[in-house]
Amino acid sequence: MVMSQKKLVRKHQWGAEKNTTPLSFLHAKPSPFKLTLSRVAIVLTVVFWVLYIFSIIIRQLIDGPQSYHFTMEAFSYALVVTFLTFSSLIYLIERHGALKRFAKHERVARSILDKFFSKNKPGITVLVPSYNEEKSVIRKTLLSAVLQEYPKTNVVLLIDNNPNPKNPEDAKRLDDARNLPIEIEKLLSGPYKRVQKSFNEFKRNKTVNKKAIRNLANEYRFAARWLNKMADEEKIEDHVDIFFANEVLRKLAVDLTKIEEALEISMQEDGKLSYDRVFELYERLTWIFEGKLTSFERKLHPTLSQEANKAMNLNSYIGIMGTKFEGKLIPDSEFLLTLDADSVLLPEYCLRLVYFLMQPQNSKVAVTQTPYSSFRGAFSRIERLAGATTDIQHILHQGMTQYGATFWVGANAIIRKNALDDIVEYDNENGNVIKRYIQDRTVIEDTESSIDMTSKGWDLVNYPERLSYSATPPDFGSLVVQRRRWANGGLIIMPKLLAQANKKSKLEVMLRMNYLASIAWATFGLIFLLAYPYDGRLLSPLVLLAALPYFIAQASDLKYCGYKYSDIFRIYGFNLIMLPVNLAGVIKSVEQAVTGKKIPFARTPKVKNRTASGMIYVIVPVLIVAFSVFTIYRNVLISNWGNAAFAAFNALAATWAIVAYIGLFDLLTDTYLGLTNWMYVDAKREEKAEPIKTEPKQEIDWKGVLS
């Protein structure tokens, strides 16, 4: 059965995305030809770079003007080209690694998972750190966590709001957050009690006959109808709501309906099912509804850390797990799932990833995750393009695992608790002993913790499926907050990586170095290319040829992820207008390295209103266009046609990006706000959706479904 899309009344921006169908959770297996081309791209990049260095740079240093000024120009230009080519090469290597992983990945059959977890039930605690988010955002995340097809899921909402809000809006958000776990548990209690009652009756009778099979089929039918009814009643405001209704609730209902229909057919054909298999099918049904939800507010407890960041919100709860805290026993578990409050999991996320961790060969894997994908159907152009970069990163992270260079990406991850115990540090805050499992020294806390874990001999792995999704900032202002944070901290962590470099393979170290520092050198390199009028003799088509495999590969990856080949040019313009954002993040890293003072954690706004951006972030892109136009004029006068063409391309790309992704009205608004210091948000708008349509039933191979 294929799910159809809900339609939204809300109007999309021109150039946004109307298709809300997500990419398949399974990656297509690449052909041998595609794998060969990926290797050829790596070789060509190296060959053209070597040719450029020897045929242009070295030749010009020997035959060109023997002046200090020209020599320094040649060295600096070669350095910039080398760093940018290195990043391109790393992209191609990671991409090739991802293709190799996709080619060999085989999905574990669901019957194997059911059998394994009928005998093994390792505990898992889902931690959802939340700060001042809207109820609708948190609700989808909590429901996707508690509806996991996993035994006895314990979900904890870590509320970090001000416990004594001063305005009504903040007070309502706090009340909503506190009440949500109670509301959801109450919602699930009805179906859980019904299914559990039927399960208990089956266990008492210990008989597998047609009546027992019919009772089981009835429970699956009931559960599927309950989920479909819940999906029908979902309030649909945006594409994230559509994803949750269709891909979590309805898809789970579809899976349960298939089992119900297979059970019915098995009875008609007098098929035989073992007691163990019926038991497993009952367990699967109860797992969906038996999860527990609670909330915890560290700010109500003065003995816990009060530092304002996500890491310490998580650390505060992890530190009291398995202990009696203020008279209450805090449950412990073998595994933790950290989940951002704007993320949504598919129902088998925990089942498949914990199964992976429980295999003997993976006993030293501390963290496994599915790097999150974007929600499709973005209403704005910038959300669509930012989503494209997110989906590209999903591929690259898979490639990093191929070469042992995985980084924990904090939006979602399953972690062994004893791996965290290995890296815990103790500190003193206001006379209280504070445990730091996840480092909060930088604002990219998951990245530093990855290095800490590898230093203790642990591995990290990206699971090669799409099982998690996370929101992409819908406007330029919220994207600025997110990307500025991402650009901050890599340089500070670099010494930790270098300290263990001699224990790691050279390729792993190179991949990790690129992940930590490429934003810094790519930002400064692009600024140099934009701003400095390099001698035309240093330019060569070989530079473009060295970069061409990267651009062709990324365009191909964009198409693979459901975007357009032409988006490669849009991403280039997008990167130009993000230069001041990345530069601000890098400068903050340098500032922290020099002063030793922590940078405040800036949370990405998870609200449906527009976020105003700082004036400098909308003014600098305009200055880039102006300077590029001036560069065209200056180089045309001296017949430096190579620099003039490059500047013209930059001017066009940046202009397009400003109009498409910032917007002229928002640019003027944010400039005005920067000058007047007023706060501005758009008004909320609610939309309704048409009911989803289902396709006609298809014949079911009941043996294939139930075996």
Side-chain angles (χ1 to χ4, degrees):
M1 189 181 295
V2 179
M3 306 301 295
S4 60
Q5 298 177 20
K6 286 189 175 183
K7 296 180 180 178
L8 288 172
V9 178
R10 180 176 173 182
K11 189 176 180 181
H12 288 69
Q13 269 190 341
W14 175 79
E17 186 178 38
K18 293 183 179 179
N19 182 14
T20 58
T21 304
L23 298 171
S24 171
F25 53 82
L26 281 178
H27 289 273
K29 291 187 181 296
S31 66
F33 181 67
K34 188 171 184 177
L35 285 165
T36 300
L37 285 181
S38 72
R39 286 190 288 268
V40 170
I42 294 170
V43 172
L44 289 178
T45 299
V46 174
V47 168
F48 286 128
W49 175 80
V50 171
L51 287 175
Y52 172 75
I53 294 297
F54 281 92
S55 66
I56 303 298
I57 298 297
I58 294 178
R59 185 172 63 83
Q60 286 296 335
L61 289 175
I62 296 172
D63 301 334
Q66 303 298 313
S67 66
Y68 175 79
H69 181 266
F70 182 80
T71 300
M72 292 306 297
E73 271 198 32
F75 274 117
S76 67
Y77 192 76
L79 188 65
V80 169
V81 168
T82 298
F83 272 111
L84 295 178
T85 303
F86 176 76
S87 288
S88 299
L89 182 64
I90 293 299
Y91 180 99
L92 295 171
I93 291 172
E94 291 172 349
R95 176 180 184 270
H96 182 66
L99 294 177
K100 290 170 69 175
R101 295 196 76 217
F102 299 157
K104 67 182 181 182
H105 177 65
E106 296 293 338
R107 199 163 211 241
V108 180
R110 180 57 199 249
S111 59
I112 294 176
L113 297 176
D114 290 342
K115 185 170 293 186
F116 179 86
F117 283 100
S118 69
K119 299 176 182 177
N120 305 275
K121 295 180 173 60
I124 190 166
T125 300
V126 184
L127 300 180
V128 182
S130 167
Y131 174 76
N132 217 32
E133 276 96 16
E134 291 182 349
K135 178 180 179 179
S136 61
V137 174
I138 311 171
R139 179 179 173 275
K140 288 187 285 289
T141 300
L142 293 180
L143 278 168
S144 78
V146 77
L147 288 172
Q148 287 293 301
E149 297 185 72
Y150 189 88
K152 296 179 181 177
T153 308
N154 180 31
V155 182
V156 184
L157 178 64
L158 302 179
I159 302 171
D160 221 21
N161 302 31
N162 178 358
N164 301 297
K166 299 188 183 303
N167 66 67
E169 185 178 354
D170 288 344
K172 184 178 185 310
R173 284 186 178 171
L174 178 59
D175 287 341
D176 287 342
R178 287 172 172 171
N179 291 328
L180 257 177
I182 301 169
E183 292 175 10
I184 294 174
E185 270 211 339
K186 184 178 179 181
L187 176 71
L188 299 179
S189 64
Y192 173 70
K193 288 177 182 177
R194 168 173 170 157
V195 172
Q196 188 62 48
K197 180 180 178 182
S198 182
F199 189 17
N200 289 336
E201 182 182 342
F202 170 74
K203 287 187 286 187
R204 282 195 303 271
N205 294 333
K206 295 183 179 180
T207 303
V208 178
N209 50 31
K210 282 194 175 183
K211 180 182 177 183
I213 300 299
R214 184 169 291 108
N215 288 341
L216 177 60
N218 288 340
E219 297 309 317
Y220 269 85
R221 185 185 305 112
F222 160 76
R225 288 176 177 175
W226 187 91
L227 289 164
N228 277 322
K229 183 174 182 293
M230 184 178 173
D232 290 338
E233 294 172 353
E234 280 296 297
K235 186 177 181 181
I236 303 298
E237 294 182 307
D238 58 22
H239 53 307
V240 181
D241 299 327
I242 288 179
F243 178 93
F244 176 73
N246 283 358
E247 305 304 321
V248 176
L249 300 178
R250 294 188 188 280
K251 276 286 178 69
L252 182 53
V254 166
D255 289 343
L256 299 184
T257 299
K258 284 182 180 178
I259 293 176
E260 179 256 320
E261 292 173 348
L263 289 168
E264 293 286 354
I265 296 172
S266 74
M267 286 188 290
Q268 295 171 12
E269 298 182 5
D270 293 324
K272 301 297 182 182
L273 287 176
S274 68
Y275 175 86
D276 288 344
R277 186 57 182 143
V278 175
F279 191 95
E280 290 165 6
L281 290 172
Y282 261 117
E283 280 195 315
R284 175 179 181 177
L285 207 53
T286 58
W287 293 344
I288 295 171
F289 302 111
E290 73 176 353
K292 301 297 181 184
L293 290 100
T294 56
S295 64
F296 184 81
E297 297 179 63
R298 62 169 173 141
K299 289 179 178 176
L300 295 177
H301 307 282
T303 58
L304 299 178
S305 174
Q306 303 297 304
E307 291 195 46
N309 57 62
K310 183 175 82 172
M312 292 313 298
N313 190 14
L314 289 165
N315 286 334
S316 295
Y317 190 84
I318 297 171
I320 61 174
M321 289 180 67
T323 69
K324 204 165 187 179
F325 179 72
E326 297 184 359
K328 182 181 179 181
L329 181 63
I330 307 298
D332 204 358
S333 63
E334 185 176 349
F335 296 104
L336 297 176
L337 164 55
T338 59
L339 182 64
D340 278 1
D342 60 349
S343 296
V344 174
L345 304 177
L346 296 187
E348 291 186 346
Y349 179 96
C350 289
L351 206 66
R352 293 192 175 277
L353 269 61
V354 172
Y355 176 82
F356 172 83
L357 289 172
M358 291 290 288
Q359 301 310 296
Q361 67 270 26
N362 299 323
S363 61
K364 290 302 292 180
V365 176
V367 177
T368 188
Q369 61 196 355
T370 62
Y372 64 87
S373 300
S374 64
F375 296 111
R376 307 310 288 262
F379 286 104
S380 65
R381 289 182 290 267
I382 193 167
E383 182 179 359
R384 174 187 173 276
L385 200 72
T389 63
T390 294
D391 291 333
I392 291 292
Q393 283 297 314
H394 173 94
I395 296 174
L396 299 184
H397 279 289
Q398 298 292 351
M400 293 172 76
T401 292
Q402 176 69 19
Y403 305 111
T406 305
F407 277 97
W408 171 16
V409 181
N412 71 89
I414 292 184
I415 312 159
R416 289 186 195 273
K417 181 122 180 322
N418 59 353
L420 290 176
D421 292 334
D422 263 4
I423 63 171
V424 65
E425 295 180 3
Y426 295 87
D427 203 351
N428 189 288
E429 184 180 312
N430 299 323
N432 300 308
V433 176
I434 301 298
K435 293 181 180 180
R436 279 188 171 83
Y437 300 89
I438 304 165
Q439 287 294 336
D440 68 328
R441 192 165 61 105
T442 70
V443 294
I444 48 174
E445 70 290 331
D446 43 7
T447 302
E448 184 167 7
S449 297
S450 302
I451 302 297
D452 292 337
M453 287 178 177
T454 58
S455 71
K456 297 292 185 179
W458 290 100
D459 297 322
L460 299 90
V461 171
N462 290 308
Y463 195 75
E465 296 184 14
R466 297 185 184 96
L467 299 175
S468 64
Y469 293 78
S470 196
T472 305
D475 57 75
F476 187 70
S478 53
L479 189 68
V480 164
V481 176
Q482 182 193 69
R483 298 300 170 97
R484 185 178 58 201
R485 186 179 70 247
W486 288 1
N488 181 2
L491 296 179
I492 301 169
I493 303 169
M494 186 69 76
K496 272 192 177 182
L497 172 64
L498 297 178
Q500 52 178 285
N502 60 341
K503 301 176 183 178
K504 306 292 182 181
S505 71
K506 291 181 180 179
L507 181 56
E508 178 187 342
V509 173
M510 286 194 299
L511 266 59
R512 291 192 184 279
M513 284 180 60
N514 183 75
Y515 187 82
L516 294 176
S518 62
I519 288 181
W521 68 56
T523 298
F524 284 111
L526 195 50
I527 288 172
F528 272 110
L529 293 180
L530 287 171
Y532 189 83
Y534 282 103
D535 193 299
R537 284 169 291 189
L538 298 175
L539 303 180
S540 168
L542 289 170
V543 175
L544 294 177
L545 289 174
L548 196 58
Y550 162 78
F551 285 110
I552 292 175
Q554 190 173 74
S556 174
D557 292 341
L558 286 166
K559 187 66 176 178
Y560 170 75
C561 291
Y563 299 93
K564 300 176 181 177
Y565 290 120
S566 58
D567 284 328
I568 190 68
F569 300 109
R570 297 181 181 92
I571 287 178
Y572 182 85
F574 172 79
N575 288 335
L576 284 178
I577 67 172
M578 294 303 291
L579 271 177
V581 179
N582 292 333
L583 183 61
V586 172
I587 290 173
K588 282 293 183 182
S589 283
V590 175
E591 176 189 328
Q592 182 174 343
V594 172
T595 65
K597 184 179 179 181
K598 287 184 184 179
I599 303 301
F601 185 88
R603 295 171 171 87
T604 306
K606 300 182 183 76
V607 296
K608 296 178 186 288
N609 300 325
R610 191 182 83 84
T611 302
S613 61
M615 183 174 68
I616 190 171
Y617 301 119
V618 295
I619 291 297
V620 171
V622 176
L623 296 179
I624 290 173
V625 173
F627 186 79
S628 296
V629 171
F630 171 72
T631 302
I632 298 170
Y633 170 75
R634 182 179 59 191
N635 283 278
V636 167
L637 290 180
I638 59 176
S639 299
N640 191 346
W641 304 111
N643 278 344
F646 180 62
F649 180 74
N650 289 330
L652 287 172
T655 300
W656 165 261
I658 290 170
V659 173
Y661 306 130
I662 299 177
L664 296 180
F665 177 77
D666 289 343
L667 186 152
L668 294 173
T669 299
D670 290 347
T671 302
Y672 172 77
L673 292 174
L675 294 173
T676 61
N677 201 31
W678 286 92
M679 179 61 69
Y680 167 82
V681 293
D682 286 334
K684 280 187 180 180
R685 291 185 296 178
E686 294 185 2
E687 311 296 342
K688 294 184 178 179
E690 295 179 2
I692 192 168
K693 298 179 181 179
T694 55
E695 293 186 356
K697 290 184 179 180
Q698 299 176 354
E699 287 193 11
I700 293 178
D701 175 12
W702 70 268
K703 293 180 181 178
V705 173
L706 300 179
S707 62

